[in-house]
Amino acid sequence: MASLIAGGVDCDVHPAVPHLTSLLPYLNDYWRDQVTTRGMVDLVSQSYPPNSPITARPDWRPESGKPGESLEDMQRHVLDPFQLSYAICNPLYGVQMVFSEDLQAAFCGALNEWLAKEWLDRDNRLRGSIVIPTQSVEKAVAEIERCAQDKRFVQVLMLVMGDTPLGKRALWPIYEAAERLELPVGVHAGSAYHNPPTAVGWGSYHIEDYVGQAQAFQTQLTSLIVEGVFAKYPRLKMVMLESGVSWISPYLWRLHKFWRGVRMETPWVDRAPLDIVRSNIRFSLQPFDAPPEAETLIRLFDHMQSDELVLFSTDYPHWQFDGRDALPEGLTPDLVRKIMIDNPHATYPRLI
């Protein structure tokens, strides 16, 4: 395996909210009373069912509580042994599943405050992502602007499966705020489960949901490109988190082919999709979905036609992470440095 180097940036770690009551100190009196009165007990997303093997590596699953809820465990498993300079916290908690605009906004605000107080304040290597209430674009922008005052927040976090294609013009105020405040938008695997997680309806098994995530990333990337998001906001960076990487080259070949054939309907897309991806899109390393042979890996990166697309991530504490073998075999030392240090710092301007 390729050797890790000190000073890297882990772009995807997952601190877990122990319980809904953990957010109560960060809600105002009204919403705290609403949670209690309604008897709300937790917000569990089926993207990572608590007892599913993919939710945590067996050796990182605590005897009690949720995987990822202990800062001490994260320090012992990832931050210290990898000698990381930064790790970006992406809390995956079911606040996006709430239908009420007001309640969703309250939960997102509480989650962001919880992250700042319970995690960022306790380890200066940690940085945060702003979880936004996408049910209301106005409230989402307000939450971005509120949290952006804390320079430790370095990214806006959205789910790949929500209520609408991400390129839709109604969402553009979110991207305007993110670009203006130098915040990349992270699009993470997961769903609000307001719609089926596949294009043909609801499946029967978790594996159908899990495999369908890559298809959702392709659909959203197409939407972002053809709707003209990056023509309108050319400095905006978007990071596909837990998207996989093996599909990128064949997908871009197909998108480029059809863009050339029907580009008259989207005249604002004035660059080839591959050029847009090179300049504006990044992908997290884990879960790495390519075959293990070094020769295949080299071909994969050759087909991407760029060494700037991939960012180091561990996906702690999820099962996909390979422990000390966090980097696939066949990466050159120069490429390791690009993935672990240079690319993340070029993507996240607030990592200073």
Side-chain angles (χ1 to χ4, degrees):
M1 294 292 174
S3 297
L4 296 162
I5 57 176
V9 179
D10 188 340
C11 295
D12 191 32
V13 298
H14 301 296
V17 177
H19 194 271
L20 185 58
T21 56
S22 305
L23 300 184
L24 292 183
Y26 307 103
L27 293 168
N28 64 28
D29 291 342
Y30 173 79
W31 288 115
R32 195 179 304 121
D33 181 68
Q34 285 290 305
V35 170
T36 304
T37 302
R38 296 184 189 192
M40 300 179 71
V41 293
D42 214 347
L43 298 171
V44 180
S45 168
Q46 290 307 300
S47 295
Y48 291 95
N51 294 321
S52 171
I54 71 166
T55 302
R57 283 167 51 100
D59 54 334
W60 287 352
R61 189 178 290 274
E63 293 184 5
S64 62
K66 296 179 181 178
E69 72 175 44
S70 165
L71 172 62
E72 290 74 19
D73 284 349
M74 182 185 290
Q75 291 169 331
R76 179 163 51 91
H77 293 145
V78 176
L79 295 175
D80 295 339
F82 289 179
Q83 302 179 64
L84 297 173
S85 60
Y86 298 106
I88 300 174
C89 297
N90 297 315
L92 300 178
Y93 193 56
V95 292
Q96 295 96 337
M97 297 189 298
V98 178
F99 280 94
S100 164
E101 292 184 7
D102 294 326
L103 185 55
Q104 187 183 106
F107 279 149
C108 286
L111 179 59
N112 293 326
E113 286 298 302
W114 169 85
L115 179 64
K117 300 298 183 184
E118 303 292 336
W119 291 81
L120 307 189
D121 281 356
R122 296 174 59 199
D123 194 310
N124 60 17
R125 293 169 292 184
L126 296 180
R127 295 296 182 266
S129 292
I130 304 169
V131 180
I132 58 172
T134 52
Q135 285 278 91
S136 168
V137 173
E138 180 182 7
K139 293 180 184 298
V141 170
E143 184 65 10
I144 292 170
E145 293 178 336
R146 183 185 74 85
C147 291
Q149 298 176 57
D150 184 341
K151 297 299 184 181
R152 298 175 301 176
F153 282 99
V154 300
Q155 178 171 249
V156 175
L157 189 64
M158 304 175 75
L159 295 178
V160 72
M161 294 183 185
D163 294 337
T164 187
L166 292 180
K168 289 290 188 178
R169 313 296 167 86
L171 298 175
W172 283 18
I174 293 173
Y175 307 141
E176 185 280 328
E179 183 190 55
R180 169 167 44 86
L181 296 167
E182 296 188 307
L183 291 163
V185 175
V187 179
H188 200 286
S191 176
Y193 294 105
H194 296 174
N195 298 302
T198 81
V200 294
W202 294 94
S204 301
Y205 304 102
H206 179 65
I207 188 174
E208 297 174 86
D209 183 334
Y210 187 74
V211 173
Q213 299 289 327
Q215 301 168 23
F217 277 104
Q218 294 174 34
T219 300
Q220 296 289 27
L221 189 50
T222 302
S223 172
L224 290 162
I225 290 173
V226 303
E227 290 275 4
V229 169
F230 303 108
K232 180 70 172 179
Y233 306 108
R235 295 183 293 107
L236 177 67
K237 288 286 198 301
M238 302 194 80
V239 183
M240 306 293 139
L241 297 162
E242 292 196 38
S243 61
V245 298
S246 63
W247 55 267
I248 298 171
S249 295
Y251 157 79
L252 285 174
W253 182 90
R254 181 180 178 86
L255 179 60
H256 181 81
K257 177 179 185 294
F258 288 108
W259 167 75
R260 290 183 63 188
V262 295
R263 60 185 298 182
M264 73 289 293
E265 69 172 348
T266 56
W268 46 84
V269 184
D270 56 359
R271 294 182 292 153
L274 176 58
D275 293 336
I276 294 173
V277 168
R278 283 175 180 164
S279 63
N280 296 87
I281 306 295
R282 299 296 179 260
F283 302 85
S284 67
L285 181 69
Q286 296 285 355
F288 195 71
D289 56 348
E293 295 80 13
E295 296 80 6
T296 304
L297 176 69
I298 293 170
R299 285 201 305 272
L300 177 65
F301 276 89
D302 285 343
H303 291 166
M304 290 183 189
Q305 301 181 47
S306 174
D307 61 1
E308 299 179 352
L309 297 184
V310 178
L311 311 178
F312 178 71
S313 65
T314 61
D315 192 25
Y316 178 85
H318 295 160
W319 165 80
Q320 295 91 336
F321 176 43
D322 297 317
R324 293 296 297 175
D325 296 330
L327 294 170
E329 185 177 355
L331 299 179
T332 66
D334 286 345
L335 189 52
V336 169
R337 180 177 178 84
K338 291 281 289 187
I339 290 173
M340 292 196 68
I341 298 177
D342 297 343
N343 293 350
H345 279 278
T347 302
Y348 295 99
R350 290 181 165 218
L351 288 181
I352 54 175

